[in-house]
Amino acid sequence: MEAKGRKEEKKKLLIYAHYYVPDVASTGQILKELAEGMLDVFDITVICVVPSYGGKIDPEYHRNQFYREEINGVHVIRVRVPEFDKTNKLSRVKNIVAYAVRAALATFRVKDVDYVFSISQPPVLGGLLGVWGKFMRRAKFIYNIQDFNPEQVIAVNYTKNQLILKAMMLLDKFSCRHADKVIVVGRDMVETLKKRFRKGKIPRYAFINNWVDEKELYPLPMSEPHVAAFRKKYGLENKFVIMYSGNLGLYYDLENLIRVIKEFRKGRTMDGRIEDGPLTVDGREVVFAFVGAGSVKRKLEKYKEKHHIDNVIFIPYQKKEDLVYSLNAADVHWCVSAKGIKGVSVPSKLYGCLAVQKPVIGVMEQGAEARLIMEEVGCGYVCDPGDYEHVARHVRWFIEHANTEELKEMGRRGREYLVKNLTKDVSVGKYVDEILGC
């Protein structure tokens, strides 16, 4: 009876999540861990799309408008959306708008809501859904900004239409003003929020880092059977692997990064000469691995084919439970952001690199949250976006110092910092306090 009483005292929390597990979108994974971590305090319902992060939808989700399920104690309402092509803007817009409209309708399927929690995905519409839920359910609204838009759209030149950009800014500021609390995920993002409202009242806000579950992502030796199997499957055995793992999208300047990688290529040149590529001091060939998918993947593949860069390989997204093996298969990891992303977004992939105790090559603006962490911890080397000569020097340094104690110590410092400051329990506890404090 006592346990039942505690359950009845739980506040009800509605979360709008564009993607949720089993989709591999990073925000979907974060929201899963956040929701499940707060179940002791809240009765939680998530409204999200049917599994569709890759653009395709299984036939079982073609029949109805809404689907209900329960995942590890979290109530999930999925809304049907049209399939889409990630390289086609119109196709993506149709998909996103369908989610927003149907998620708004699904709101009426959730009763007695105390708090509404929405993230900034999809851009602008995520915030507006939160405002909708606040007024329709008479609830407190917490707006979690993972990416500021239109600032992100401007940074990567996704559109230059000033009418669209101004409308996006007005609408997202509207969402911020109507939020009972805005939560951002970087110190640099606090400054962006203040800049938005420098001529008016700044919304109540909090800063909470994203995280990884240090019990799910942890260091493993290359000889561990699953890690060894991954390296064998993709031809990484006895290679020095510099890995990028995550979304191959617009926000990471990957099209210029692969031009830097070309300086370290193994393969045939345009005039027919054979280049063997660099070797580490212990005699290993250097391989650059891109693990994931996204809107620029095909461009990267075409560049590789055109310039015959045989030591660049592309590997599909890994299941969440296999991520510990793929991340451990690298010797060094990339953590990169395009110019203009500082204060707009934080590349959470850094946390995964730290969790598996690997050194990092960073390409981020000064003052960016991930760069601040790298510089505080000393877990790698970092330089500015666009400074490709400096990027190349860092790559060369890591190749020349392969398997040294210096690299191992970088990895150890990163893991130690993460365990103290960037774990799931630490961040989830902060979210609970901030939501209840609204």
Side-chain angles (χ1 to χ4, degrees):
M1 292 296 292
E2 186 177 335
K4 183 178 178 181
R6 283 200 300 269
K7 185 175 181 181
E8 291 173 351
E9 291 172 4
K10 286 185 180 181
K11 296 291 186 179
K12 293 192 176 182
L13 173 64
L14 169 61
I15 298 177
Y16 292 102
H18 187 193
Y19 294 110
Y20 197 70
V21 290
D23 277 325
V24 295
S26 59
T27 52
Q29 300 296 331
I30 287 170
L31 287 175
K32 172 189 179 293
E33 293 181 358
L34 178 61
E36 293 178 7
M38 298 193 298
L39 283 172
D40 286 345
V41 182
F42 301 108
D43 183 356
I44 299 174
T45 299
V46 172
I47 298 177
C48 60
V49 296
V50 297
S52 55
Y53 185 64
K56 299 297 181 183
I57 298 173
D58 288 343
E60 65 182 290
Y61 292 110
H62 286 187
R63 294 187 298 273
N64 304 321
Q65 296 294 323
F66 305 101
Y67 298 83
R68 284 185 180 269
E69 61 181 300
E70 185 171 309
I71 301 176
N72 297 334
V74 177
H75 310 294
V76 179
I77 301 175
R78 297 191 184 275
V79 302
R80 194 178 77 192
V81 290
E83 293 186 344
F84 67 97
D85 178 355
K86 285 194 173 188
T87 64
N88 185 304
K89 289 183 182 180
L90 181 59
S91 173
R92 296 193 72 169
V93 168
K94 287 180 179 178
N95 175 274
I96 288 169
V97 171
Y99 159 67
V101 171
R102 288 169 184 164
L105 294 174
T107 303
F108 298 107
R109 294 171 175 254
V110 187
K111 297 181 179 179
D112 303 322
V113 176
D114 298 294
Y115 300 98
V116 169
F117 184 99
S118 184
I119 68 167
S120 53
Q121 291 293 332
V124 179
L125 293 177
L128 293 176
L129 275 173
V131 176
W132 168 265
K134 171 179 178 168
F135 288 111
M136 291 300 101
R137 300 289 78 175
R138 300 177 184 271
K140 296 285 188 179
F141 168 39
I142 298 88
Y143 187 19
N144 180 210
I145 300 182
Q146 295 282 332
D147 311 285
F148 273 110
N149 274 292
E151 291 91 339
Q152 191 176 50
V153 170
I154 294 169
V156 297
N157 291 315
Y158 193 74
T159 179
K160 295 183 179 180
N161 187 309
Q162 290 302 308
L163 184 62
I164 292 175
L165 295 174
K166 287 179 181 178
M168 290 177 70
M169 180 62 81
L170 285 171
L171 291 171
D172 207 54
K173 288 176 71 174
F174 172 84
S175 298
C176 290
R177 286 193 186 97
H178 285 83
D180 294 279
K181 187 166 290 179
V182 175
I183 298 179
V184 296
V185 296
R187 286 164 281 184
D188 51 343
M189 294 179 72
V190 171
E191 298 308 312
T192 300
L193 182 67
K194 291 179 178 179
K195 183 179 177 182
R196 273 189 172 190
F197 293 94
R198 62 178 178 269
K199 295 181 180 179
K201 184 180 178 181
I202 300 170
R204 291 179 66 197
Y205 69 86
F207 152 55
I208 304 175
N209 281 112
N210 283 340
W211 66 87
V212 296
D213 188 338
E214 80 284 4
K215 299 179 184 68
E216 292 184 358
L217 291 181
Y218 46 86
L220 291 169
M222 296 292 185
S223 58
E224 195 278 336
H226 294 89
V227 177
F230 179 89
R231 287 173 66 90
K232 182 177 181 179
K233 180 176 181 179
Y234 294 105
L236 304 179
E237 291 177 294
N238 303 314
K239 304 290 198 302
F240 183 76
V241 180
I242 302 177
M243 179 182 288
Y244 176 93
S245 179
N247 179 30
L248 305 179
L250 295 170
Y251 311 127
Y252 309 106
D253 202 25
L254 298 177
E255 292 175 76
N256 284 313
L257 186 65
I258 199 169
R259 291 182 173 89
V260 175
I261 290 172
K262 184 167 74 75
E263 297 182 27
F264 303 90
R265 75 175 165 195
K266 172 186 176 182
R268 181 169 54 85
T269 64
M270 298 297 285
D271 60 5
R273 291 181 295 107
I274 300 297
E275 292 184 342
D276 292 331
L279 297 177
T280 61
V281 290
D282 53 2
R284 287 180 288 165
E285 293 181 355
V286 178
V287 172
F288 298 89
F290 289 87
V291 182
S295 57
V296 303
K297 181 180 179 181
R298 186 58 194 143
K299 291 181 180 179
L300 300 179
E301 290 174 330
K302 287 181 178 179
Y303 189 88
K304 170 194 170 173
E305 293 163 5
K306 179 180 178 181
H307 295 279
H308 307 286
I309 314 175
D310 295 342
N311 57 336
V312 165
I313 66 168
F314 294 92
I315 299 171
Y317 264 121
Q318 301 300 295
K319 295 178 182 178
K320 186 172 185 287
E321 58 268 26
D322 294 332
L323 195 59
V324 64
Y325 309 124
S326 63
L327 291 178
N328 272 292
D331 294 275
V332 181
H333 279 278
W334 292 104
C335 183
V336 300
S337 290
K339 189 173 183 180
I341 294 298
K342 183 188 83 169
V344 174
S345 180
V346 177
S348 295
K349 59 177 61 65
L350 173 64
Y351 307 142
C353 305
L354 301 185
V356 297
Q357 203 164 290
K358 301 293 182 178
V360 180
I361 302 174
V363 185
M364 290 163 283
E365 293 167 278
Q366 294 185 32
E369 176 66 24
R371 179 164 179 164
L372 290 173
I373 292 172
M374 284 192 64
E375 291 172 339
E376 290 169 14
V377 178
C379 57
Y381 286 122
V382 61
C383 64
D384 296 333
D387 188 355
Y388 304 117
E389 184 178 333
H390 207 157
V391 175
R393 286 204 301 271
H394 284 165
V395 172
R396 195 168 290 110
W397 186 92
F398 277 97
I399 293 172
E400 292 171 354
H401 291 76
N403 205 33
T404 62
E405 191 58 34
E406 196 167 358
L407 261 66
K408 295 174 184 176
E409 184 57 31
M410 284 180 176
R412 282 193 288 267
R413 286 197 294 265
R415 172 74 185 183
E416 288 171 4
Y417 180 87
L418 178 125
V419 169
K420 289 179 182 178
N421 302 282
L422 301 172
T423 64
K424 181 179 71 173
D425 290 345
V426 169
S427 291
V428 170
K430 291 179 180 179
Y431 270 99
V432 169
D433 291 342
E434 294 296 341
I435 293 171
L436 291 176
C438 284

